[in-house]
């Protein structure tokens, strides 16, 4: 997409924040299952920093998927270096920049839920489905927010 007048939006998400949040949510999900008869499943769900080498490619894949999504409505350049995912989005000049922190929050949620969904997809596909659905909610939110424009001042 080409915009004559454009605005650049820079969004950074750190890998460590994504993985920490994913591990924390997996821990709580596992703990909630220990209440019943699902002790074996509960311990299988949980991930520690020892699994970061498995979780990291899930986060990278989520970032790439995010780029594909953003490219449908705006233009994005993406890079991953020194533990940081950087998204540089080019939007029309009348883009509502108040949406930027909300887009960043939704990208973060999307990435966390995708990492959790991928982690669970082999051991608990029925639970993974919930996290993939949550990531799809974030996708819809991002598309809506990128489309928001400033109201003209009269």
């Amino acid at each position: 997409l080409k915009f004559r007048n454009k605005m650049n939006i820079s969004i950074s998400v750190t890998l460590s924040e994504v993985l920490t949040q994913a591990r924390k949510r997996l821990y709580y999900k596992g703990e909630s299952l220990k209440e019943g008869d699902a002790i074996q499943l509960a311990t299988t769900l949980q991930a520690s920093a020892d699994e970061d080498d498995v979780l990291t490619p899930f986060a990278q894949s989520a970032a790439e998927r995010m780029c594909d999504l953003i490219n449908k409505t705006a233009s994005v350049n993406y890079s991953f270096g020194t533990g940081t995912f950087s998204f540089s989005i080019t939007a029309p000049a009348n883009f509502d920049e108040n949406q930027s922190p909300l887009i960043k929050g939704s990208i973060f949620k999307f990435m966390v839920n995708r990492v959790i969904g991928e982690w669970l997809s082999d051991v608990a596909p029925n639970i993974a489905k919930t996290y993939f659905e949550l990531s799809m909610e974030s996708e819809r939110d991002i598309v809506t927010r990128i489309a928001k424009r400033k109201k003209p001042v009269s």
Side-chain angles (χ1 to χ4, degrees), residues 42-94:
T43 55
T44 305
L45 295 185
Q46 295 175 335
S48 71
D50 294 340
E51 283 82 31
D52 281 0
D53 60 328
V54 176
L55 297 176
T56 296
F58 297 154
Q60 290 170 314
S61 173
E64 290 162 9
R65 184 179 170 114
M66 181 51 48
C67 289
D68 292 341
L69 174 75
I70 293 170
N71 272 324
K72 291 179 182 176
T73 56
S75 171
V76 65
N77 288 317
Y78 155 75
S79 66
F80 176 66
T82 62
T84 302
F85 298 98
S86 299
F87 302 90
S88 179
I89 303 168
T90 303
N94 63 345

Side-chain angles (χ1 to χ4, degrees), residues 54-141:
V54 176
L55 297 176
T56 296
F58 297 154
Q60 290 170 314
S61 173
E64 290 162 9
R65 184 179 170 114
M66 181 51 48
C67 289
D68 292 341
L69 174 75
I70 293 170
N71 272 324
K72 291 179 182 176
T73 56
S75 171
V76 65
N77 288 317
Y78 155 75
S79 66
F80 176 66
T82 62
T84 302
F85 298 98
S86 299
F87 302 90
S88 179
I89 303 168
T90 303
N94 63 345
F95 168 76
D96 180 0
E97 63 267 14
N98 293 323
Q99 299 301 313
S100 294
L102 302 170
I103 292 169
K104 178 180 179 171
S106 288
I107 289 174
F108 179 77
K109 284 186 218 169
F110 170 83
M111 292 180 71
V112 168
N113 285 320
R114 289 296 301 185
V115 167
I116 294 170
E118 293 291 344
W119 173 257
L120 296 177
S121 62
D122 289 334
V123 293
N126 55 327
I127 298 172
K129 184 175 179 245
T130 300
Y131 292 94
F132 287 129
E133 288 168 358
L134 288 170
S135 72
M136 289 173 68
E137 282 179 27
S138 293
E139 284 183 7
R140 287 188 292 274
D141 183 65

Side-chain angles (χ1 to χ4, degrees), residues 11-38:
I11 295 175
S12 296
V13 175
T14 66
L15 175 63
S16 64
E17 289 173 338
V18 170
L19 298 185
T20 298
Q21 184 66 23
R23 287 192 309 264
K24 186 184 300 183
R25 291 183 54 199
L26 284 164
Y27 171 80
Y28 290 134
K29 184 66 178 174
E31 289 300 302
S32 72
L33 292 173
K34 287 181 181 177
E35 308 277 319
D37 297 328

